[in-house]
Amino acid sequence: MSSSLMKKGWVKTALTLAIATFFTSYANAEQMAEVQQLRAEVQELRALIQQQSAVQVTVTPANTAAKELKLTTAGGAEAKLYGFVRADVSYQAEGGESIFNRINAVALDGKHNDKLYSTVNSSRIGGDFKTPVAGADIGGKVEVDFRDDGTVNPKLRLRHGYLTYDHWLMGQTTSTFSNLEVIPEMLDFNLNLGSAYDRRAMLRYSEKVTPDTQVLVGLEQKNSDNRLPTLTAKVNHNFAQNQGLISGRVFVEQNRAASPKEDVKTTGWGAGIGASYKFSPEFKMSADYMHVEGNQNLTMFANTAFSVDGNDLENNVFDVASVGATYQINPQLRSTVGYGVMQADDGNRYATLNPTANKELQQGWVNLMYAPSKPLMFGVEYVHGERETFVGVKGQDNRVGAMARYSF
């Protein structure tokens, strides 16, 4: 590696540390130590790869100032290391006890003390690999972060870990029912109200039926004790010379629970449709709608999937939607305005059995994202929302957050 590349890498490393230090200056000394430890682990991993593998560094054109760290393993597979260090700070005037989005659990009747949060737990590191075998590609991904399912103490957590062969995928990754392609951008790490996102163990088949249309079908593990997998399917179609995308999704699963006499069952299902369209090089809009019965984890911030009522299961039934617009102010600066809403059926038995569950959630946000160069991203966001239970008790979410991220 040339001395100029090494100098550039040193400058980026120093800049990363400065960014993380700025945003975590609000936090305590323990969080500062987390940043230093995380950076040290990334540097040690890079050094180990360079010692044991033939590393090829590809420099993209100067206007992006981006680099990719690629290597060839002993078995001949091409691998790529990636990740980012991310620092978040958030001030909650009203809301829940979390730095990230918890619109479904904000304090009711204003019973919340304002609080400042800061963390680097959403930083992540991962690797992709690919190698041709018998006329088809074998690939895979391993990706981890330090969130430990959202607790304040950083611990290693597996996000993605899977293998691919030809059209097949086996392992853990984002559910096929996810709508990440068609939701408006949000700075918050927990995504917006109106998003469908869950990482699950699965077996999935995908096929491009036309150059612009892809079909995916999966069998996904719902939880550790379910007897039947969740059946999921999605169709994505690009249109208008890749200026737009439309996505349709469905899932069906079996719910089981113990009643006083026997195991009782009910069917959970859901369907969603969404689209995004770029009206001009600067302006894009996104919208999505879902109807769901008897599920709580494929869509973000939902009530519990069902309640046991004697020898019956009563499903939670709800609709959820989101809409947003993004404007690219200049090549480095963009802004998104978005709105999400969830409304549960308040006329069924589930509402009677769960009076403190959420009848309606609303959330609006506006953000500004600044990328001075490709490895660096800064953002600031304001979020306001409201939670209302089946018995009419309300709570407000009112907060502002900021983020700095260095990608490698």
Side-chain angles (χ1 to χ4, degrees):
M1 184 178 299
S2 67
S3 60
S4 62
L5 290 179
M6 293 177 65
K7 289 178 181 178
K8 290 179 182 178
W10 180 90
V11 170
K12 290 184 179 180
T13 303
L15 185 57
T16 303
L17 182 57
I19 293 166
T21 303
F22 173 78
F23 279 95
T24 56
S25 60
Y26 299 98
N28 55 33
E30 180 180 354
Q31 290 174 319
M32 293 292 292
E34 294 171 10
V35 178
Q36 296 172 356
Q37 180 182 357
L38 184 60
R39 283 179 36 78
E41 291 175 355
V42 171
Q43 294 299 331
E44 289 175 4
L45 182 57
R46 283 198 174 204
L48 182 61
I49 291 172
Q50 291 173 347
Q51 291 171 8
Q52 297 184 353
S53 306
V55 179
Q56 178 187 358
V57 178
T58 303
V59 182
T60 59
N63 61 337
T64 62
K67 297 180 181 178
E68 288 185 346
L69 182 62
K70 293 183 178 180
L71 58 100
T72 302
T73 68
E78 180 183 285
K80 181 176 70 173
L81 178 70
Y82 68 90
F84 57 73
V85 178
R86 171 171 166 155
D88 290 274
V89 62
S90 174
Y91 173 72
Q92 289 210 348
E94 301 174 280
E97 298 295 327
S98 172
I99 183 173
F100 297 124
N101 195 5
R102 290 285 189 274
I103 182 63
N104 59 315
V106 301
L108 298 171
D109 285 337
K111 296 178 181 179
H112 172 77
N113 294 322
D114 59 332
K115 190 172 181 180
L116 182 72
Y117 296 90
S118 180
T119 187
V120 295
N121 290 5
S122 57
S123 301
R124 72 180 64 159
I125 188 169
D128 295 316
F129 74 88
K130 181 177 66 173
T131 185
V133 175
D137 285 335
I138 291 181
K141 178 190 288 289
V142 175
E143 182 182 289
V144 298
D145 67 9
F146 304 86
R147 292 222 355 108
D148 190 31
D149 294 325
T151 61
V152 296
N153 299 316
K155 296 179 182 178
L156 203 63
R157 177 182 69 163
L158 179 67
R159 289 174 53 84
H160 303 278
Y162 61 80
L163 291 172
T164 60
Y165 178 71
D166 200 15
H167 298 280
W168 295 92
L169 178 148
M170 179 180 292
Q172 175 178 301
T173 192
T174 307
S175 172
T176 309
F177 192 72
S178 166
N179 64 351
L180 296 184
E181 307 95 332
V182 290
I183 58 174
E185 181 179 34
M186 193 179 199
L187 179 149
D188 193 290
F189 187 81
N190 272 3
L191 300 177
N192 60 285
L193 178 63
S195 59
Y197 184 79
D198 190 31
R199 288 184 297 272
R200 291 178 160 196
M202 68 178 68
L203 174 65
R204 182 163 71 196
Y205 179 83
S206 62
E207 178 75 50
K208 273 205 164 187
V209 294
T210 74
D212 296 317
T213 305
Q214 184 182 34
V215 176
L216 304 94
V217 179
L219 295 175
E220 303 180 2
Q221 182 181 16
K222 178 184 174 185
N223 52 49
S224 59
D225 59 359
N226 67 302
R227 300 183 186 179
L228 295 175
T230 300
L231 175 63
T232 57
K234 176 192 287 189
V235 178
N236 285 341
H237 177 70
N238 293 305
F239 60 93
Q241 290 75 48
N242 290 322
Q243 292 292 105
L245 180 141
I246 186 167
S247 176
R249 313 169 308 276
V250 295
F251 77 87
V252 179
E253 63 188 11
Q254 183 186 75
N255 293 324
R256 302 175 65 96
S259 74
K261 294 183 179 179
E262 60 182 353
D263 283 356
V264 289
K265 309 172 188 176
T266 188
T267 299
W269 69 276
I273 186 168
S276 66
Y277 187 78
K278 202 168 187 178
F279 290 89
S280 72
E282 299 81 19
F283 182 67
K284 181 178 77 171
M285 290 196 68
S286 303
D288 190 76
Y289 165 77
M290 293 175 287
H291 176 82
V292 179
E293 300 189 11
N295 182 273
Q296 70 186 74
N297 47 24
L298 284 175
T299 55
M300 301 287 289
F301 316 115
N303 295 322
T304 57
F306 56 84
S307 284
V308 179
D309 184 20
N311 290 322
D312 295 316
L313 292 187
E314 298 294 336
N315 281 339
N316 177 37
V317 179
F318 62 99
D319 297 280
V320 59
S322 66
V323 63
T326 298
Y327 186 74
Q328 192 76 41
I329 301 169
N330 60 45
Q332 290 79 38
L333 192 65
R334 67 180 182 269
S335 179
T336 297
V337 177
Y339 172 77
V341 60
M342 184 279 288
Q343 291 185 328
D345 184 358
D346 61 350
N348 60 14
R349 182 66 177 161
Y350 179 92
T352 303
L353 296 171
N354 299 272
T356 60
N358 296 318
K359 171 188 174 183
E360 183 176 86
L361 302 174
Q362 297 186 69
Q363 185 174 71
W365 69 95
V366 57
N367 59 46
L368 194 65
M369 309 293 283
Y370 175 59
S373 64
K374 191 168 184 178
L376 294 173
M377 176 71 73
F378 303 91
V380 62
E381 182 172 78
Y382 173 71
V383 181
H384 181 77
E386 183 179 85
R387 167 194 179 196
E388 181 181 359
T389 68
F390 284 121
V391 290
V393 183
K394 296 182 179 181
Q396 301 290 321
D397 185 28
N398 185 18
R399 56 198 169 87
V400 61
M403 175 273 291
R405 187 181 70 198
Y406 169 64
S407 301
F408 57 87

